[in-house]
């Protein structure tokens, strides 16, 4: 069964045709529970997100800041497994028809088996994977299996990436390019800044893939700022924080839905 990379491509193209950025939400699987995480992903999509990245909780998340680390810890203590991540993708995609990717570090896939992971993700209706710590030069095995199953391979570029390196990364990727707006870990920030705009420009010079910006966007004004120059706006920690701050799981799901609606207005507004 082929994956949904075409659905991802079509979704990003449709946002562009509307003259706006796509809104991409990130939520970890298994947080606050597996069922609660599925409801949160569905709420983000129902609320206005075009795409969701489902995080595979990891004990050593090098890119993730304290908010997402806290959620990952709760999910891991709850016993979340890769099967739960696949179930999250399957149920949220079935309920919404929207593209869902998995964001994961390489080690869990390597241990699970690349062929098994890609086959299961495609079968669940997943659109692809974001792999923040897999070097492009070591990615041939992953890309072979991802392509076989119709999955996008999204690589992360950073402000420190030299132009030659950007070209190497974007040539190997598919779906879109994840542009990390600044050096450091995920989390909300006061400003997303000029570094991101420069990185998007340099990345676009190397590829026709959409360039989506993440790390630091937490409110509609910042979403509008990034939407001015990026093909997609990626928001993670702000969604997770709403859930962490909620008095109960149901309130957390509604907070996610409301934030998705606010951010969806932001990406349509453009600063």
């Amino acid at each position: 069964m082929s994956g949904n990379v075409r659905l991802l491509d079509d979704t990003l193209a449709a946002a562009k045709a509307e003259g706006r950025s796509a809104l991409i939400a990130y939520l970890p699987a298994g947080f606050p529970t597996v069922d609660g995480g599925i409801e949160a992903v569905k709420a983000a999509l129902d609320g206005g997100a075009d795409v969701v990245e489902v995080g595979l909780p990891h004990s050593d998340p090098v890119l993730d800041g304290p908010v997402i680390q806290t959620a990952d810890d709760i999910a891991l203590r709850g016993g979340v497994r890769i099967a739960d991540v696949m179930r999250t993708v399957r149920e949220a995609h079935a309920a919404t028809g929207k593209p869902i990717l998995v964001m994961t570090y390489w080690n869990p896939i390597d241990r699970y088996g690349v062929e098994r992971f890609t086959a299961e993700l495609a079968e669940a209706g997943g659109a692809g994977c974001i792999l923040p710590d897999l070097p492009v030069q070591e990615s041939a095995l992953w890309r072979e299996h991802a392509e076989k199953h119709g999955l996008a391979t999204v690589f992360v570029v950073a402000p420190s990436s030299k132009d030659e390196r950007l070209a190497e990364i974007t040539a190997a990727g598919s779906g879109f390019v994840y542009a990390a707006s600044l050096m450091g870990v995920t989390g909300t920030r006061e400003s997303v800044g000029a570094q991101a705009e420069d990185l998007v420009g340099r990345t676009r010079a190397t590829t026709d893939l959409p360039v989506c910006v993440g790390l630091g966007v937490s409110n509609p004004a910042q979403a509008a700022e990034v939407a001015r120059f990026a093909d997609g706006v990626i928001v993670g920690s702000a969604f997770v924080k709403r859930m962490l701050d909620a008095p109960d799981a149901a309130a957390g799901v509604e907070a996610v839905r409301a934030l998705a609606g606010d951010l969806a207005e932001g990406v349509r507004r453009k600063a």
Side-chain angles (χ1 to χ4, degrees):
M1 177 180 180
S2 122
N4 279 301
V5 65
R6 183 170 288 121
L7 176 62
L8 175 64
D9 293 342
D10 290 349
T11 298
L12 294 172
K16 186 176 184 178
E18 289 175 24
R20 67 173 179 90
S21 281
L23 174 61
I24 302 174
Y26 166 94
L27 287 159
F31 168 71
T33 61
V34 176
D35 288 347
I38 292 168
E39 290 310 308
V41 172
K42 291 195 290 193
L45 291 163
D46 290 341
D50 298 289
V51 180
V52 165
E53 305 170 6
V54 171
L56 194 162
H58 189 48
S59 54
D60 185 25
V62 292
L63 187 72
D64 298 317
V67 170
I68 291 173
Q69 281 190 30
T70 299
D72 278 4
D73 191 46
I74 290 167
L76 290 166
R77 286 207 312 267
V80 71
R81 297 285 179 266
I82 287 178
D84 300 313
V85 177
M86 299 299 178
R87 184 184 148 214
T88 301
V89 172
R90 178 181 293 106
E91 293 191 15
H93 174 64
T96 64
K98 292 187 176 182
I100 300 180
L101 301 113
V102 169
M103 184 163 188
T104 177
Y105 297 98
W106 178 245
N107 185 258
I109 294 179
D110 194 35
R111 289 210 314 263
Y112 197 72
V114 177
E115 168 58 24
R116 181 183 174 199
F117 188 94
T118 51
E120 289 183 8
L121 182 56
E123 188 275 327
C129 249
I130 300 163
L131 300 157
D133 67 338
L134 177 64
V136 168
Q137 60 270 24
E138 295 172 24
S139 68
L141 177 68
W142 163 266
R143 286 187 287 131
E144 176 194 331
H145 287 289
E147 206 168 305
K148 182 169 83 173
H149 292 291
L151 299 170
T153 298
V154 178
F155 289 113
V156 178
V157 298
S160 59
S161 304
K162 301 282 189 283
D163 291 352
E164 186 181 330
R165 177 81 178 138
L166 287 175
E168 185 186 358
I169 293 169
T170 59
S174 55
F176 64 91
V177 182
Y178 186 128
S181 64
L182 54 151
M183 302 306 292
V185 298
T186 60
T188 61
R189 288 178 174 79
E190 292 303 309
S191 168
V192 181
Q195 259 190 326
E197 188 166 3
D198 173 68
L199 177 59
V200 169
R202 292 196 298 120
T203 305
R204 279 209 181 117
T206 71
T207 184
D208 291 330
L209 288 173
V211 183
C212 304
V213 170
L215 272 65
V217 178
S218 62
N219 59 49
Q222 289 174 332
E225 178 193 347
V226 174
R228 246 187 340 99
F229 57 82
D231 298 300
V233 179
I234 303 168
V235 181
S237 295
F239 280 110
V240 176
K241 188 167 189 322
R242 291 283 180 103
M243 292 177 71
L244 286 168
D245 291 348
D248 56 53
V253 168
E254 287 315 307
V256 164
R257 192 188 314 276
L259 179 59
D262 291 345
L263 292 166
E265 285 179 21
V267 298
R268 285 162 173 82
R269 193 168 73 221
K270 300 190 181 179

